[in-house]
Amino acid sequence: MTTIRPRANTGRELTKAEQRRKVLADIDNAVFTQFHVRAAGAGFFTDAYDTFAINLCIPMLGIVYGHLHPGGANIHNGQLSKQQELALKIAAPVGNLVGMVAFGWLADVFGRKKMYGIELILMVTATFGQAIAGGGPGVNIIGVLITWRFFMGVGIGGDYPLSAVITSEFATTRFRGRMMAAVVAMQGFGNITASLVALIVTAAFKDAIVNTDPLKVDYLWRLVIGLGMIPGVLALYSRLTIPETPRFTMDVERNLDQAASDAEFVKDGKFDRIDDRPIQRVDVPKASRRDFMNYYSKWSNLKVLLGCSWSWFALDFAFYGLGLNPDIIFHTIGFVVDVNQTTPYTRVFNTAVGNIILAIAGLIPGYWVSFALIDHWGRRPIQLMGFIVLTVIFLIMGFGYNRITSKNQAAFAFLYALANFFQNFGPNCTTFVLPGELFPTRYRTTSHGISAASGKLGAILAQVLLLYAKDIGGSNKSIDHILEILALFMITGVFSTLLIPETKGRTLESLSGEEEEGGDFTNEQMLQSTTVYDRLRSMKNLFRRRPPPSSNGWEGLY
């Protein structure tokens, strides 16, 4: 059990404020550790696997259940209707939106530890439900899958603010960006693993599909989705046994002794639960509805939330718009996955191979370049660079679409891979990192959840746009205009990034205004209220004569 000892040179007990700063210094100056990256990263791997596996499974579902859509028997020739495809693709993002806001708020109220693992249990349960889903006269299997995918999405959504904030609050200042980037980089591995699994099970069932019965594809999508439970189950123990973050314990629960013990987990992986001491309640900024409104009524705070939220919205509009619809790119570059031109086996096999190529070409390298440079270059420069480069790429792809695709399809494929690279060596990494650093402890997961939910709103709107707008004037005739629209959103991301401060090399407390000076919280924290009376009273307290140090509270805080 960790105890905070007196200073050797003075023989006196450290003040509460000094103890707090010591605990924070122990975390901020620690060496690079991997325990929470493993726990959070495994969950994020599962998130990406489950989210993007639906791209691979929709062709399989169309082969088996395409005749079940309203309108008659098999009129789509082995394909799901547009409405069914859209619902399957947006069910998880809609659930994400709900989970991000709900779990973000709950983690600020009840603690990160109490919520961490619950969202993963929900995710694993919903994934299992999809794998064994069935239908009958009274229920359509596509409807059952949509329902399960919504609940899976709620769990995935909850993982975003929890994993980001737990990682940031345990992370050292020097490597915080890299540690958070390592978590989000697991998206790339989850994406490519889903494609590899689909490729393996398709090859394993080749003889049954080609020579026996194409409806054997029904086994394939169940295996692809069901195997996504494995990494989630493996990560569950780590999540359920991780301690509360010391920052939450100190600044929300205000239990300094327990926070000191929890901080030891960063260094040696062990911590003690302290239940036999009275908790010292101190007058630090406390979360409440009024305080939340006061905090965000200040433009200096609100602009940061708006910048994070819109940047994520603009990014996800493109990232999930194209990421969940790779068939658009396959069609453009002549990589045939069309139901009318291929056998069921070839269609499923080519979809898996195409996703692997796209992931290797751009997704995974981009994530890990961000990992290498984020603590050297900074978050804001990487995000600005990413949005600017993506604007240029989408403008070239959009306005030059007909000329490029008619003369050199390989060049178009290269531009798309380049866009994937700069999405991940750019805003897809930094939009996850920045909201986990910029807000005060008492509202950190709520604010991250709001920012992330804004992104998923963009993903939902993008699905609707791409599914219907791409066929205006004929099948896939408006892809060029869609790419031009994506370029417009990237431009808006440039301007929203300008609202966000740089976080490289700064402690979470200095970024959120929670730093103490001589035992006091800074003026930024004391002046959250918007009323003149409260501000004058706060200023008066700054100049009040301080009593001698007390062992029962944090001196200077009344």
Side-chain angles (χ1 to χ4, degrees):
M1 181 172 65
T2 300
T3 57
I4 301 176
R5 292 175 179 160
R7 288 180 175 175
N9 61 338
T10 65
R12 70 174 178 86
E13 291 285 341
L14 295 176
T15 68
K16 293 292 183 179
E18 289 169 339
Q19 291 176 33
R20 178 179 183 273
R21 287 196 295 273
K22 181 181 183 302
V23 172
L24 292 175
D26 287 342
I27 301 171
D28 291 335
N29 298 321
V31 298
F32 190 104
T33 55
Q34 298 182 10
F35 73 93
H36 50 288
V37 173
R38 288 196 300 268
F44 239 70
F45 175 95
T46 306
D47 296 349
Y49 182 105
D50 292 339
T51 297
F52 291 101
I54 196 63
N55 309 338
L56 306 157
C57 294
I58 280 179
M60 304 177 192
L61 290 166
I63 292 168
V64 182
Y65 302 108
H67 64 283
L68 292 179
H69 65 82
N74 212 28
I75 65 169
H76 280 268
N77 194 23
Q79 287 181 295
L80 298 177
S81 69
K82 278 189 175 182
Q83 292 79 11
Q84 289 174 323
E85 184 177 340
L86 176 63
L88 282 168
K89 287 181 177 179
I90 70 170
V94 171
N96 293 162
L97 193 154
V98 174
M100 288 164 174
V101 175
F103 276 93
W105 173 71
L106 289 169
D108 275 336
V109 174
F110 299 106
R112 288 75 161 118
K113 174 180 172 57
K114 290 180 180 177
M115 294 295 108
Y116 211 38
I118 294 177
E119 89 294 352
L120 192 57
I121 292 171
L122 179 58
M123 192 192 319
V124 169
T125 302
T127 301
F128 181 72
Q130 291 175 75
I132 63 172
V139 62
N140 187 314
I141 188 172
I142 303 301
V144 174
L145 288 173
I146 291 167
T147 302
W148 278 121
R149 287 195 65 78
F150 169 80
F151 286 109
M152 181 195 75
V154 173
I156 292 174
D159 198 26
Y160 273 70
L162 285 166
S163 289
V165 170
I166 285 175
T167 303
S168 72
E169 291 185 347
F170 268 119
T172 70
T173 300
R174 182 182 176 189
F175 297 115
R176 188 176 61 238
R178 188 173 294 180
M179 295 168 86
M180 297 181 74
V183 173
V184 72
M186 296 306 292
Q187 270 192 341
F189 289 114
N191 190 325
I192 195 172
T193 301
S195 300
L196 288 170
V197 169
L199 187 66
I200 292 169
V201 298
T202 300
F205 279 80
K206 179 179 180 179
D207 184 66
I209 297 170
V210 174
N211 299 322
T212 306
D213 183 4
L215 295 184
K216 295 290 185 180
V217 169
D218 193 49
Y219 292 103
L220 271 62
W221 72 262
R222 296 179 188 276
L223 284 169
V224 171
I225 289 177
L227 290 172
M229 295 185 297
I230 295 175
V233 172
L234 295 177
L236 192 56
Y237 175 78
S238 297
R239 294 198 172 193
L240 293 176
T241 56
I242 199 171
E244 184 56 85
T245 69
R247 285 180 164 93
F248 182 87
T249 306
M250 282 192 298
D251 294 343
V252 180
E253 294 182 340
R254 301 190 292 286
N255 186 341
L256 190 56
D257 290 329
Q258 185 62 57
S261 176
D262 293 345
E264 291 295 312
F265 194 56
V266 176
K267 294 183 283 187
D268 57 23
K270 300 177 182 179
F271 70 101
D272 297 308
R273 184 68 195 171
I274 302 172
D275 296 315
D276 57 349
R277 300 183 189 177
I279 298 175
Q280 300 295 335
R281 301 294 182 185
V282 293
D283 188 12
V284 293
K286 187 175 181 180
S288 68
R289 182 180 300 177
R290 180 172 180 268
D291 180 69
F292 181 86
M293 297 302 295
N294 286 339
Y295 182 83
Y296 281 115
S297 67
K298 295 187 63 177
W299 173 244
S300 59
N301 299 324
L302 180 62
K303 73 175 183 179
V304 177
L305 182 62
L306 291 176
C308 291
S309 298
W310 184 263
S311 297
W312 211 328
F313 177 93
L315 179 277
D316 273 10
F317 193 91
F319 182 73
Y320 283 92
L322 294 177
L324 290 177
N325 295 277
D327 54 304
I328 294 175
I329 304 302
F330 296 156
H331 170 83
T332 301
I333 64 178
F335 194 83
V336 179
V337 292
D338 189 85
V339 66
N340 298 315
Q341 303 178 47
T342 59
T343 64
Y345 170 80
T346 305
R347 183 184 175 199
V348 173
F349 186 87
N350 284 0
T351 299
V353 171
N355 274 279
I356 292 172
I357 293 171
L358 294 177
I360 293 175
L363 284 175
I364 293 177
Y367 281 121
W368 291 102
V369 173
S370 284
F371 171 83
L373 296 179
I374 193 168
D375 282 318
H376 298 285
W377 195 358
R379 289 68 151 154
R380 195 166 181 255
I382 289 176
Q383 185 161 307
L384 275 172
M385 177 274 303
F387 274 127
I388 291 170
V389 174
L390 288 169
T391 299
V392 174
I393 292 174
F394 285 134
L395 284 173
I396 295 172
M397 292 174 71
F399 286 102
Y401 178 82
N402 293 322
R403 177 175 294 185
I404 296 172
T405 55
S406 63
K407 293 185 177 180
N408 193 339
Q409 292 179 336
F412 189 86
F414 171 76
L415 286 171
Y416 180 75
L418 201 62
N420 269 336
F421 176 82
F422 280 104
Q423 280 178 331
N424 296 297
F425 176 38
N428 194 44
C429 177
T430 54
T431 52
F432 174 83
V433 172
L434 285 164
E437 300 178 303
L438 287 166
F439 304 104
T441 304
R442 64 192 187 280
Y443 301 128
R444 189 167 287 133
T445 53
T446 299
S447 301
H448 193 286
I450 292 171
S451 301
S454 301
K456 288 304 166 283
L457 180 60
I460 294 165
L461 295 178
Q463 295 308 304
V464 177
L465 173 69
L466 265 68
L467 195 61
Y468 290 99
K470 70 184 180 69
D471 294 328
I472 295 175
S475 179
N476 291 316
K477 293 296 184 182
S478 295
I479 294 177
D480 54 341
H481 298 308
I482 287 174
L483 292 168
E484 292 160 10
I485 292 172
L486 297 184
L488 175 63
F489 276 93
M490 297 303 100
I491 292 173
T492 65
V494 173
F495 292 105
S496 61
T497 301
L498 298 177
L499 299 173
I500 304 171
E502 178 53 62
T503 62
K504 181 187 71 171
R506 297 179 60 186
T507 67
L508 297 181
E509 287 64 41
S510 69
L511 290 165
S512 62
E514 293 174 302
E515 256 187 347
E516 296 172 72
E517 295 177 350
D520 295 326
F521 279 87
T522 62
N523 295 6
E524 178 69 18
Q525 281 291 23
M526 296 188 69
L527 300 180
Q528 292 303 325
S529 176
T530 58
T531 68
V532 175
Y533 172 76
D534 285 342
R535 291 194 179 199
L536 289 174
R537 191 172 68 171
S538 296
M539 291 299 297
K540 179 182 176 182
N541 285 340
L542 283 174
F543 297 102
R544 288 179 61 180
R545 186 173 180 178
R546 299 294 185 245
S550 166
S551 61
N552 295 324
W554 293 5
E555 45 272 68
L557 297 174
Y558 305 103

